[in-house]
Amino acid sequence: MRAEYKRDVSHNYLILESPKEADTASYQVRMLAGNVIPAILHCRLQNLDGKQMFYYEITSRQALFSYYEEKMFAAEDLRMLFRGFAGAVEQMAEYLMNPEQLLIRPEYIYLDIEKKEVFFCCLPGEEREVQAQLRDLMEYLLPKLDHEDQEAVLLGYGVYRKILEPGFQLEDIKEAIYHEEQKVHQEPPVPERETEKPEEAGERREILEDEDFMEEEPGPKRRKTDRKSETGTALLPWMAGCGAAILLMGAVLAASLTGYLPWIPAEKIMGFGAAAFGAGGFAAWAAGKRRKKQDKTAPWKEKVKKEAAPYEPAARGGGELPERIQKMPQPEKESGPREEIFGETVALSAGCVSGPASLVSREPGELATIYLDREFTVVGKMPGAADAVIPVPTVSRVHARIREKDGEYYLADLNSRNGTSVNGTMLQNEEEYRLQDEDEVDFAQARYVFVK
């Protein structure tokens, strides 16, 4: 089955081509295209070059296969998936639709991470026995279970055994979920942690307000006279080379005109000189542009270096963390609702700030640095689902992903509503871009620079 992805303004679509020609006048197709079935991705049918293409709305939703590529399935994740499947089958029965048209495959199952909802693709013309599809899905899930979560192991293997039995029914999955939930409810509640003592809160404020932790932002812009002097200094080698080239061409031209070098026409000498000047001018322009970009990112690199300096000896195994950092108390759990503060990035991996690469805010001080110190870093505004949380309204709950491989970093957009761009170019769905040093990365309105 061929799958494509398309972005249209602020919407993302999964496009599937029906393997068999679907009857657009049939009940199944009309019900799918004309109704909103909660657990089924909204679909519209379009005919392209005689082929019937099904467009599924996947904006701000993550494919099961991509989201759990580097994550393990806990019991809560399995219950969410099984409940979603059971709900989808029941809803299709209400609409008198064939449940064998569901695509129960990891790449075609989509999640709403915030609402913990599961969505499926229904493809008329693609029919396969539900029990066989579930068996394949469970064989994908079992190796990815969190084996430290005993409940997840019991639930996963329990459902798998029931699926292998003849006469499998949907009620078997519901019974397994209910049975495990009853066990959880019978467990004693975990005691809540004590609230923070006033003296500890005062000590924390004292530590955070210490001048050693209050990093200054990059200094003011340089004066124009300084920039002019630097530009003039940078052009000196090019000007010296041009002067030497002029003297050489003048000598060769004089020798040619006086008859000492009759085999070299004066026209060729002048043409070569013009080409050399053009190449030199272009090289000087490119070098100036590169130098200007380096000057622009120098404060950001210096900021990253300062922030990471206290941690580098411990990261290399040559020392311990600074004493003040060791004594810093860990934040307590909040008992009440937390007010969302926009404009400040929460880097959940900030405990290891010696990462080899980072994303630095293009407006110094507006957003905290994101350190890419793991193989996969998910960027978004939803705590718990993203590794680096950017609580900005235009950023999606799960917005983008950065993958590290062999020292290179690859950026991909995760069906975000407002998109992810690099150097002003919007990334397409399923596209992975290899980040270069000093690339400008925008997660909607959150603007960063990649520093390697």
Side-chain angles (χ1 to χ4, degrees):
M1 183 187 306
R2 187 167 62 91
E4 298 178 1
Y5 298 89
K6 180 180 179 181
R7 180 176 182 83
D8 181 11
V9 188
S10 60
H11 296 276
N12 296 291
Y13 298 97
L14 165 67
I15 306 174
L16 298 178
E17 179 183 351
S18 177
K20 301 177 184 178
E21 184 175 356
D23 182 6
T24 56
S26 68
Y27 174 82
Q28 300 286 330
V29 175
R30 287 189 291 109
M31 291 300 292
L32 177 64
N35 293 278
V36 178
I37 305 175
I40 306 299
L41 290 171
H42 182 65
C43 176
R44 62 183 175 87
L45 183 63
Q46 187 170 340
N47 194 305
L48 295 176
D49 299 328
K51 299 178 180 179
Q52 294 174 341
M53 313 298 291
F54 289 82
Y55 284 65
Y56 300 90
E57 170 78 43
I58 59 173
T59 306
S60 298
R61 293 165 183 163
Q62 313 306 315
L64 181 74
F65 179 81
S66 298
Y67 186 72
Y68 287 97
E69 185 174 1
E70 292 297 321
K71 294 180 64 175
M72 307 303 288
F73 284 87
E76 181 182 359
D77 303 320
L78 292 179
R79 283 196 293 268
M80 175 184 68
L81 180 59
F82 294 150
R83 282 201 197 98
F85 168 73
V89 173
E90 290 175 348
Q91 291 170 21
M92 292 194 70
E94 291 178 8
Y95 284 86
L96 304 179
M97 298 181 66
N98 185 1
E100 293 185 351
Q101 294 179 351
L102 285 176
L103 299 181
I104 315 174
R105 307 180 197 176
E107 61 270 30
Y108 302 135
I109 300 174
Y110 281 79
L111 311 173
D112 186 322
I113 305 301
E114 183 179 31
K115 298 179 180 178
K116 298 186 180 301
E117 295 178 349
V118 185
F119 300 88
F120 293 82
C121 293
C122 176
L123 183 61
E126 176 75 5
E127 297 180 6
R128 189 181 172 208
E129 186 183 2
V130 173
Q131 187 173 359
Q133 291 196 70
L134 281 176
R135 183 180 63 248
D136 293 343
L137 177 64
M138 291 306 303
E139 290 174 355
Y140 158 80
L141 292 174
L142 293 181
K144 298 180 70 64
L145 292 180
D146 183 0
H147 284 77
E148 295 182 0
D149 186 342
Q150 184 180 6
E151 185 184 351
V153 175
L154 293 175
L155 177 59
Y157 281 92
V159 171
Y160 183 58
R161 283 194 298 268
K162 290 183 177 296
I163 291 174
L164 295 178
E165 295 175 359
F168 166 78
Q169 300 292 331
L170 181 63
E171 297 301 323
D172 294 336
I173 290 183
K174 294 182 179 180
E175 181 183 351
I177 297 174
Y178 176 78
H179 181 67
E180 293 300 328
E181 284 181 341
Q182 287 295 103
K183 286 185 177 180
V184 174
H185 292 159
Q186 292 173 2
E187 294 178 357
V190 179
E192 298 183 357
R193 298 178 63 180
E194 296 180 359
T195 57
E196 185 178 31
K197 297 179 181 180
E199 55 270 20
E200 292 178 351
E203 182 182 352
R204 181 183 301 172
R205 284 195 298 271
E206 181 179 354
I207 293 175
L208 294 177
E209 293 172 0
D210 192 287
E211 60 182 3
D212 292 340
F213 282 85
M214 300 300 289
E215 296 289 351
E216 295 182 359
E217 299 299 334
K221 296 182 179 179
R222 294 172 296 171
R223 292 175 298 178
K224 293 184 178 180
T225 54
D226 296 337
R227 293 180 179 176
K228 290 181 179 179
S229 62
E230 289 184 8
T231 304
T233 304
L235 291 177
L236 283 178
W238 179 72
M239 296 173 64
C242 288
I246 291 173
L247 292 176
L248 179 60
M249 283 195 306
V252 174
L253 183 60
S256 176
L257 293 176
T258 55
Y260 288 99
L261 297 173
W263 63 85
I264 302 179
E267 294 80 1
K268 288 188 177 181
I269 297 174
M270 298 300 292
F272 175 78
F277 274 112
F282 177 78
W285 173 81
K289 186 175 181 181
R290 176 67 177 173
R291 192 174 296 105
K292 183 178 179 181
K293 188 174 183 180
Q294 290 177 345
D295 292 343
K296 181 179 179 181
T297 58
W300 297 323
K301 290 189 175 183
E302 185 65 23
K303 180 176 183 291
V304 173
K305 185 177 179 180
K306 286 182 179 180
E307 290 178 350
Y311 298 84
E312 288 178 354
R316 293 193 299 265
E320 297 182 351
L321 291 173
E323 183 178 357
R324 286 190 179 91
I325 298 176
Q326 294 177 356
K327 292 182 179 180
M328 182 178 292
Q330 298 297 323
E332 302 290 342
K333 292 184 178 179
E334 298 178 356
S335 57
R338 175 178 172 271
E339 181 180 358
E340 191 171 18
I341 302 175
F342 294 108
E344 179 182 354
T345 305
V346 180
L348 301 186
S349 57
C352 302
V353 296
S354 58
S358 56
L359 290 168
V360 186
S361 174
R362 282 156 65 185
E363 291 80 14
E366 180 176 336
L367 299 171
T369 303
I370 299 174
Y371 294 94
L372 307 177
D373 53 4
R374 57 182 69 192
E375 184 179 358
F376 278 84
T377 302
V378 177
V379 179
K381 70 178 180 183
M382 181 179 176
D387 302 309
V389 180
I390 309 177
V392 174
T394 54
V395 174
S396 295
R397 298 183 292 269
V398 178
H399 195 104
R401 178 190 67 200
I402 301 172
R403 177 174 64 92
E404 187 272 331
K405 183 179 180 181
D406 298 330
E408 300 293 340
Y409 294 83
Y410 298 85
L411 172 67
D413 183 74
L414 296 178
N415 300 322
S416 64
R417 180 171 295 278
N418 295 307
T420 303
S421 65
V422 180
N423 299 325
T425 302
M426 193 74 71
L427 296 183
Q428 300 299 317
N429 289 328
E430 300 300 313
E431 174 188 0
E432 274 198 331
Y433 175 86
R434 184 166 66 89
L435 291 170
Q436 306 291 333
D437 192 29
E438 301 175 358
D439 275 343
E440 297 182 354
V441 180
D442 294 348
F443 305 107
Q445 293 178 338
R447 307 169 67 201
Y448 287 87
V449 171
F450 174 71
V451 179
K452 190 173 182 180

